[in-house]
Amino acid sequence: MTQRIPVVENILNANDRLAEENRARLDSAGVFAINLMASPGAGKTSMIEQTLPRLKDRLRIAAVDGDIATSIDADRAAAAGALASVQINTGGECHLDAVMLQGALNQLDLTQFDLLIVENVGNLVCPASFKLGTHKSILVASVPEGDDKPYKYPGMYRGVDALIINKIDLLPYIPFKMDYFQRGVEALNPGVITFPISCRTGEGLDAWIDWLLQNVKR
Ligand code: MG
Ligand code: ZN
């Protein structure tokens, strides 16, 4: 009797091994890396645009942007102060994987950076399944998406190290029950550190920047 291993499991195991290699490369170069995930339009690129100017005098930062077709986000990261920005066109794939990040790392002299910000493809399903080798996974949720997202996309909320709730300036205009949202999050990811912010007004960004700085230095 031959043992049958599902194809999906094999793919994920190979991905995990490569993610470990990516992590080892980042560690040996002294680079702290974050994986920003979100649905399209939640504000990943806006977060990067708000984060870079606040840190670029203190840290050497590179950005890697995953996108299905364009280089718009990588261009925005460069304009906001990333010393290097690499675009990964996924060729239709709806998530980044460890092979794609490896390709991006190959284009960077990692010894020149302290922080690597990876912007995943906008998608609330599969990015959670593909480890990249980054140190922290960050989910950017946003008020207009609705307060039911933790209930509908539990896989995404379960594994992340920090949660950003963007566009809180829209709370007065949108029926978003913060209690309901946070109960859903708590059931999946108890105690996860959460940053309610507005990229438009700047509210809440200081706490996020402090957290990120502490983690880079650790
Ligand atoms: Mg973007
Ligand atoms: Zn995907």
Side-chain angles (χ1 to χ4, degrees):
M1 280 282 283
T2 52
Q3 197 190 354
R4 295 180 63 181
I5 298 169
V7 172
V8 170
E9 200 173 296
N10 275 335
I11 291 170
L12 289 176
N13 286 343
N15 186 76
D16 284 359
R17 279 195 298 278
L18 199 51
E20 283 171 21
E21 285 179 35
N22 288 342
R23 172 73 70 92
R25 283 175 74 183
L26 292 163
D27 284 342
S28 70
V31 181
F32 181 80
I34 61 173
N35 176 16
L36 277 187
M37 299 181 286
S39 62
K44 294 182 301 304
T45 311
S46 299
M47 271 297 299
I48 292 170
E49 285 180 321
Q50 293 298 321
T51 300
L52 280 165
R54 288 170 167 82
L55 290 177
K56 70 183 170 70
D57 295 333
R58 287 182 274 186
L59 300 172
R60 301 167 301 167
I61 306 170
V64 169
D65 287 88
D67 206 294
I68 291 174
T70 73
S71 68
I72 294 170
D73 291 349
D75 296 343
R76 283 171 66 181
L83 293 176
S85 85
V86 178
Q87 181 71 38
I88 302 174
N89 281 335
T90 63
E93 283 286 349
C94 47
H95 57 267
L96 292 181
D97 62 26
V99 179
M100 296 182 210
L101 184 62
Q102 182 188 50
L105 296 183
N106 289 343
Q107 296 181 50
L108 295 166
D109 176 0
L110 291 178
T111 62
Q112 298 303 305
F113 303 102
D114 308 303
L115 171 63
L116 175 69
I117 301 176
V118 179
E119 178 179 351
N120 216 308
V121 179
N123 178 346
L124 275 188
V125 184
C126 38
S129 301
F130 290 85
K131 288 180 190 162
L132 303 179
T134 49
H135 298 87
K136 299 280 183 192
S137 297
I138 321 281
L139 177 60
V140 184
S142 69
V143 167
E145 289 169 63
D147 52 21
D148 59 353
K149 289 302 168 287
Y151 303 91
K152 288 190 168 176
Y153 300 97
M156 200 60 141
Y157 281 80
R158 203 175 272 128
V160 294
D161 302 299
L163 173 65
I164 288 164
I165 308 172
N166 189 21
K167 309 190 191 184
I168 56 168
D169 52 299
L170 296 179
L171 280 171
Y173 313 107
I174 287 173
F176 183 100
K177 293 195 194 70
M178 190 60 86
D179 283 1
Y180 178 68
F181 176 85
Q182 289 192 310
R183 271 203 308 281
V185 173
E186 191 59 25
L188 297 165
N189 197 332
V192 66
I193 187 159
T194 302
F195 302 100
I197 66 153
S198 165
C199 284
R200 196 176 68 79
T201 67
E203 187 180 351
L205 280 165
D206 288 348
W208 153 249
I209 294 292
D210 287 348
W211 181 85
L212 188 52
L213 259 180
Q214 279 171 25
N215 277 280
V216 175
K217 285 174 177 162
R218 202 168 286 154

